[in-house]
Amino acid sequence: MQDKTRLRQQDFWTALVLIAVSIFFLYKTSEIPFFRANAAGVESGQWYNSAALVPYGIFAAILLLGLSLLLTAIRQGGAPNALQVQAVRDWMTSSSAGRMGAVALILLCYIFGLVPRVDFIIGSALVILALTFGFHIQRPRATFIALVAVLIPSIYALLVHFPQSEWNTPHDDDWLALAAFFALSITMFSDIRMAGEKPDGFLKAAPLVALLVPAFLIVAMAFGFRQNVPNRTGLFFKQIEYQYYVNVRPWLSGKKGG
């Protein structure tokens, strides 16, 4: 019973952190025009062309997750005890607080370090895999490895390509992020084996899913909704865009082949 109460106390504070983080990023996202969107460099009143659409979806989902966790904690008696000073100290020294801090730091690295400078597919795949491994496996070591894998290319991109004039320069940061992705994939499976465990189907598919999800998203954004996407000269997206305009689009319009 005591363990359950302590767990609900940790859930209470974790939920508050999730809610605070999501509200902050929703506020920052509100600075991006929504009903005056920019599609392929042309002003448009269509909301689905707005670059704010994806961030709104991500952080709204985090907000709902935090609210759900908060309600569960309150209903099961976590709130009254959580407000005690000792309960706050227990949460701050718990693994839950460490994991939440790691999540916040990974998101900050992603938004301010990777997205503007690194190929969107590579940067997003790295972050998705890091969150999957670091928080699906309930070990502090996994969280630490995931955090380091994101920190290294993020810090490099910030230091080497900090000004906006450097965002579209050679792909050294893309290659480093890609190397971090493969290194994290290998480390993930090695760490699971070293712990005497077997990766479940979810973890086995994690690297592939982490690559396919942002690839599908950016293709839909760029060629479906005609949105401006981050870093169009990125290592992967540059090749996708070239193939689309040189091969796929002429084929779809019947001007090639046949």
Side-chain angles (χ1 to χ4, degrees):
M1 185 68 180
Q2 185 64 28
D3 290 340
K4 184 177 180 180
T5 301
R6 180 171 294 183
L7 178 62
R8 292 298 167 253
Q9 291 172 0
Q10 294 179 5
D11 287 347
F12 179 84
W13 290 108
T14 299
L16 290 182
V17 173
L18 280 173
I19 291 170
V21 169
S22 60
I23 289 175
F24 170 76
F25 284 114
L26 284 170
Y27 169 74
K28 297 301 291 183
T29 303
S30 68
E31 298 175 0
I32 303 173
F34 192 65
F35 288 104
R36 291 183 58 206
N38 188 294
V42 179
E43 282 289 327
S44 169
Q46 297 170 318
W47 60 268
Y48 53 77
N49 284 325
S50 173
L53 186 60
V54 174
Y56 269 133
I58 292 172
F59 295 115
I62 294 175
L63 178 60
L64 291 175
L65 176 63
L67 291 172
S68 175
L69 187 61
L70 181 64
L71 288 174
T72 301
I74 292 173
R75 286 173 180 171
Q76 299 188 14
N81 293 327
L83 297 176
Q84 297 175 3
V85 174
Q86 186 57 46
V88 176
R89 290 175 180 171
D90 289 343
W91 180 81
M92 292 180 68
T93 57
S94 70
S95 59
S96 296
R99 285 197 297 271
M100 290 310 305
V103 169
L105 190 52
I106 287 173
L107 289 176
L108 285 171
C109 288
Y110 177 62
I111 293 169
F112 296 108
L114 296 178
V115 169
R117 300 166 180 86
V118 175
D119 180 270
F120 181 83
I121 298 173
I122 298 173
S124 299
L126 176 60
V127 169
I128 292 171
L129 184 62
L131 292 174
T132 301
F133 172 53
F135 306 99
H136 184 74
I137 301 295
Q138 298 295 318
R139 286 195 300 273
R141 172 184 165 85
T143 304
F144 177 76
I145 292 172
L147 178 59
V148 170
V150 175
L151 277 175
I152 292 174
S154 299
I155 292 173
Y156 178 85
L158 282 169
L159 291 177
V160 178
H161 303 297
F162 182 78
Q164 188 169 356
S165 59
E166 292 285 323
W167 290 1
N168 295 322
T169 49
H171 303 300
D172 51 328
D173 48 358
D174 291 347
W175 284 110
L176 181 59
L178 185 61
F181 174 81
F182 284 115
L184 181 57
S185 301
I186 295 169
T187 304
M188 177 179 72
F189 292 117
S190 299
D191 182 73
I192 293 171
R193 286 201 184 108
M194 287 173 61
E197 302 171 356
K198 289 184 178 181
D200 55 27
F202 181 77
L203 286 177
K204 285 180 180 178
L208 181 60
V209 171
L211 280 170
L212 290 179
V213 168
F216 175 80
L217 177 62
I218 201 167
V219 166
M221 288 169 60
F223 309 122
F225 295 129
R226 302 291 181 183
Q227 289 189 10
N228 284 328
V229 299
N231 199 348
R232 299 189 77 95
T233 60
L235 186 65
F236 282 3
F237 183 76
K238 185 177 181 180
Q239 298 302 319
I240 292 174
E241 189 173 40
Y242 174 81
Q243 293 298 327
Y244 175 77
Y245 285 112
V246 172
N247 295 313
V248 177
R249 191 173 181 181
W251 178 76
L252 290 174
S253 61
K255 295 179 180 179
K256 190 170 185 176

